[in-house]
Amino acid sequence: MDRIPILKLGHALLVTIQVDMHDRLATALQEDLTEKIVSARARGVLIDISALEIVDSFIGRMLDHIAAISRMLDAETVVVGMRPAVAITLVELGLSLSGVKTALNVERGMALLERRIAETESADGDDDA
């Protein structure tokens, strides 16, 4: 079965989805990403969906689940590159992805993750004092 590559960039993981997602691939991504968050001690996950032209309710729920799992493992999730049609479809499906942060592109998404990680680390440092 095909796998979606997961790259480590500093404290974050980058996932670029370049193929149409089917249910098995989405499930494999969720499992692989969960393992990689733990093994890499990642503090953030950036998911680039700019190549996705359409999404269904399963893919929308998968993105929401990844964000929830990431939060449980102390990592922020940012989805970048969402096309307007994808955003409209998600809203029409009733999937607001409330636990998912979004940014227009990878550069803005990484900047958002870096700010969030820095805020969390400074807050953690304040608790130790």
Side-chain angles (χ1 to χ4, degrees):
M1 174 172 39
D2 292 332
R3 293 284 211 231
I4 294 174
I6 301 169
L7 306 174
K8 186 172 187 321
L9 295 174
H11 294 290
L13 301 175
L14 172 62
V15 178
T16 302
I17 300 172
Q18 297 290 324
V19 296
D20 288 331
M21 295 284 286
H22 51 78
D23 292 0
R24 282 182 294 157
L25 186 58
T27 301
L29 173 60
Q30 185 172 312
E31 292 169 0
D32 293 347
L33 193 52
T34 301
E35 291 174 14
K36 188 76 170 184
I37 289 168
V38 173
S39 68
R41 296 177 152 193
R43 300 296 308 273
V45 176
L46 189 80
I47 303 174
D48 180 0
I49 63 167
S50 58
L52 292 183
E53 294 186 24
I54 59 169
V55 295
D56 60 13
S57 61
F58 180 80
I59 302 303
R61 285 192 313 272
M62 184 265 315
L63 290 171
D64 202 32
H65 288 167
I66 285 174
I69 292 166
S70 297
R71 278 192 310 276
M72 297 293 283
L73 297 173
D74 196 27
E76 296 280 338
T77 300
V78 177
V79 173
V80 301
M82 187 177 301
R83 295 172 184 239
V86 170
I88 290 167
T89 300
L90 289 172
V91 171
E92 287 175 348
L93 291 170
L95 300 168
S96 64
L97 304 182
S98 58
V100 179
K101 307 279 186 275
T102 59
L104 292 177
N105 56 40
V106 171
E107 184 179 358
R108 287 185 178 190
M110 283 303 291
L112 176 60
L113 271 180
E114 288 169 0
R115 280 195 310 273
R116 302 283 298 186
I117 291 168
E119 289 170 5
T120 303
E121 287 176 349
S122 68
D124 290 346
D126 291 344
D127 291 344
D128 294 340

